[in-house]
Amino acid sequence: MFIYKVGVVGAGAMGAQIAQVVTFAGLPVVLTDVSDAVARRGVETVRAIYQGRVDRGKMTAEQREEKMLLVTAAGSLAALRDVDLVIEAAPEDLKLKQDVFRALDGVCSPGAILASNTSALSISALGVATKRPGKVLGLHFFNPAYAMPLVEVIPGLATEQQTVDDAVGFAESLRKAPIVVKECAGFLVNRLLMPYLNEAVLCLQEGASSLKAIDQDMVAFGMPMGPFTLLDTIGNDISLEVARILHRSYGPRMAPAALLEAMVKAGRLGVKSGRGFYEYGGAKDQELEGLIQKAGQAAGPRGTRWAPSRLLMAMMNEGVLALQEGVASARDIDLAMVAGTGFPSDKEGPLHYADRIGIDHVLQELEESARSLGMRFWPAPMLRRMVDAGFTGRSAGRGFFTY
Ligand SMILES: NC(=O)c1ccc[n+]([C@@H]2O[C@H](COP(=O)([O-])OP(=O)(O)OC[C@H]3O[C@@H](n4cnc5c(N)ncnc54)[C@H](O)[C@@H]3O)[C@@H](O)[C@H]2O)c1
């Protein structure tokens, strides 16, 4: 199916970015929100993104105006009557999204695909709110959508293969890198990223190292920014919400760090609230020290060791668990983490990295961490099978990949 016209529901941060990406590829978009005025604000965000390109000399003002002709604002879903695909980017609330999908089902033509940009909610649960679950799927863009190449394509339990193929083709036409991910909580990228970020918070809470040292060490490893800078950028409230969804689905290994909860309770949400793990404004930060002490005393061990591998082991182990479950192939897991989180491309992703340092070493470190730090590090069973069979990674010529 060829997609000639797109609708976007929710003209906030992601909705506006997605509308820009779609118009950049030359397709018309109707950007809707709860009122005309809010939708028009979204159109202004699209304009601001294009203006950034003009300022950097990447396009002319005339080209910007040509692209802007492709976006229209609307305060009602009724404006989506003739679109071929809708991408919903309303707030992360299942009931609200189900209401939106029910309404879209009534408005859009029967052949239209209904996609959600949800970060962690069930696609299947959105599908059942409609009479066309075969045409509902997840199309998960990353922030900022104009810069991040990855798009997770997530079929729900009832999604037809044709819908998946159409969505992959559409994402490719946007010059993005789509990866099909089996539905699971957090999909692929958030499922692997959250244990990594949560482990950073646990390290801080346990007094293993300082905020700045942890950030610096992860940047030295090759990450585009440290975990606390990333948490502050995402918003601690959003991360906590994702962590809770993962915890509900995967159990104790994903329990959110007490300090993350305390940060949200204290209103330290990150860049958007002026302070998070870092203080944005220059004042000396005594409150954070107090929160760390309190969370550390209330939960878990103190004075544990710090090493970047603590964060990497948490991510790699979750990657192996996802691989075992068939959520994605080893290649796609690595591609997703490089394209979606900036995992250093010279290390080719967490599973290539595991092959490089040796699967036997990964297994040993996870076993030791499970003993000393907590059962969240219990090694994925596949690792032991690999070691027993001599699939120990690059030096053996075979591991997750063949060399
Ligand atoms: N912000 C991110 O980094 C990010 C990244 C990937 C995915 N997501 C997901 O994208 C979605 C949107 O996130 P966001 O950060 O853009 O949120 P946002 O709060 O910036 O925007 C949400 C928009 O939806 C509008 N809205 C509320 N109720 C509506 C309704 N009933 N109908 C239509 N519009 C409605 C709001 O007015 C607002 O403009 C969420 O599901 C989120 O999980 C966010």
Side-chain angles (χ1 to χ4, degrees):
M1 168 181 165
F2 194 80
I3 289 160
Y4 292 96
K5 189 171 179 184
V6 177
V8 173
V9 179
M14 289 309 291
Q17 289 174 21
I18 293 167
Q20 188 271 338
V21 167
V22 175
T23 55
F24 191 61
L27 288 178
V29 177
V30 184
L31 185 52
T32 68
D33 208 294
V34 289
S35 70
D36 280 330
V38 183
R40 277 199 300 272
R41 275 212 301 273
V43 172
E44 285 318 302
T45 309
V46 176
R47 178 181 291 281
I49 298 169
Y50 278 123
Q51 187 55 44
R53 293 186 64 81
V54 173
D55 294 344
R56 290 194 304 279
K58 291 191 163 178
M59 76 174 5
T60 64
E62 292 74 46
Q63 287 169 327
R64 178 198 63 207
E65 288 315 304
E66 270 170 32
K67 296 293 185 196
M68 288 308 294
L69 288 174
L70 294 169
V71 202
T72 38
S76 148
L77 297 183
L80 304 180
R81 212 162 270 132
D82 63 344
V83 302
D84 306 302
L85 163 72
V86 178
I87 304 170
E88 168 277 316
E92 190 78 341
D93 173 321
L94 182 61
K95 164 98 183 32
L96 184 150
K97 286 190 193 280
Q98 282 181 319
D99 289 346
V100 168
F101 271 73
R102 203 169 292 120
L104 285 170
D105 196 32
V107 165
C108 298
S109 71
I113 295 174
L114 307 181
S116 175
N117 186 49
T118 178
S119 302
L121 296 174
S122 160
I123 302 301
S124 302
L126 297 178
V128 295
T130 72
K131 295 193 189 72
R132 63 178 93 187
K135 296 218 165 284
V136 173
L137 85 174
L139 211 46
H140 185 212
F141 291 78
F142 289 77
N143 191 359
Y146 48 83
M148 301 292 281
L150 184 68
V151 178
E152 290 180 321
V153 177
I154 309 117
L157 288 168
T159 310
E160 292 156 10
Q161 186 57 42
Q162 186 60 52
T163 308
V164 178
D165 295 345
D166 289 343
V168 167
F170 168 72
E172 282 169 346
S173 76
L174 303 180
R175 281 165 259 159
K176 295 288 177 194
I179 284 179
V180 180
V181 176
K182 200 165 114 182
E183 186 178 24
C184 64
F187 311 136
L188 186 56
V189 170
N190 284 332
R191 175 174 172 176
L192 268 65
L193 183 63
M194 206 55 227
Y196 164 96
L197 293 174
N198 198 48
E199 195 58 34
V201 182
L202 286 167
C203 287
L204 185 63
Q205 172 183 311
E206 292 170 5
S209 187
S210 73
L211 181 78
K212 284 200 177 121
I214 294 172
D215 264 7
Q216 274 163 8
D217 286 351
M218 296 322 295
V219 171
F221 173 77
M223 292 297 193
M225 62 178 88
F228 295 107
T229 310
L230 182 56
L231 281 161
D232 274 1
T233 308
I234 297 170
N236 288 321
D237 51 338
I238 308 264
S239 294
L240 180 61
E241 189 50 39
V242 173
R244 284 181 174 152
I245 289 171
L246 298 183
H247 187 201
R248 248 197 321 276
S249 185
Y250 302 112
R253 74 172 186 271
M254 295 278 196
L259 179 57
L260 186 60
E261 311 236 11
M263 296 293 285
V264 175
K265 220 176 187 173
R268 302 184 62 123
L269 306 184
V271 179
K272 66 183 166 193
S273 71
R275 55 213 288 262
F277 284 101
Y278 289 97
E279 183 81 43
Y280 300 90
K284 191 156 166 40
D285 196 357
Q286 270 138 8
E287 185 193 50
L288 179 64
E289 212 32 60
L291 289 172
I292 295 172
Q293 295 296 336
K294 215 162 133 198
Q297 279 154 12
R302 294 286 303 156
T304 56
R305 69 180 169 80
W306 158 248
S309 66
R310 245 178 102 163
L311 276 52
L312 297 167
M313 288 290 155
M315 181 190 277
M316 281 190 274
N317 202 32
E318 198 57 41
V320 184
L321 288 164
L323 181 66
Q324 275 180 201
E325 287 170 29
V327 169
S329 66
R331 175 191 156 275
D332 281 358
I333 290 173
D334 273 3
L335 272 176
M337 296 315 284
V338 172
T341 70
F343 193 96
S345 56
D346 62 336
K347 298 187 173 75
E348 297 173 87
L351 298 181
H352 271 101
Y353 185 66
D355 271 357
R356 185 184 297 194
I357 60 177
I359 305 301
D360 43 351
H361 170 81
V362 171
L363 177 63
Q364 207 179 9
E365 183 160 347
L366 283 168
E367 283 174 334
E368 156 54 23
S369 299
R371 271 193 300 275
S372 60
L373 296 169
M375 296 305 275
R376 63 184 179 281
F377 284 103
W378 189 265
M382 185 178 184
L383 290 167
R384 193 176 308 282
R385 273 199 299 138
M386 290 175 76
V387 171
D388 288 348
F391 284 63
T392 49
R394 187 178 280 202
S395 63
R398 56 192 185 169
F400 291 110
F401 302 91
T402 312
Y403 299 88

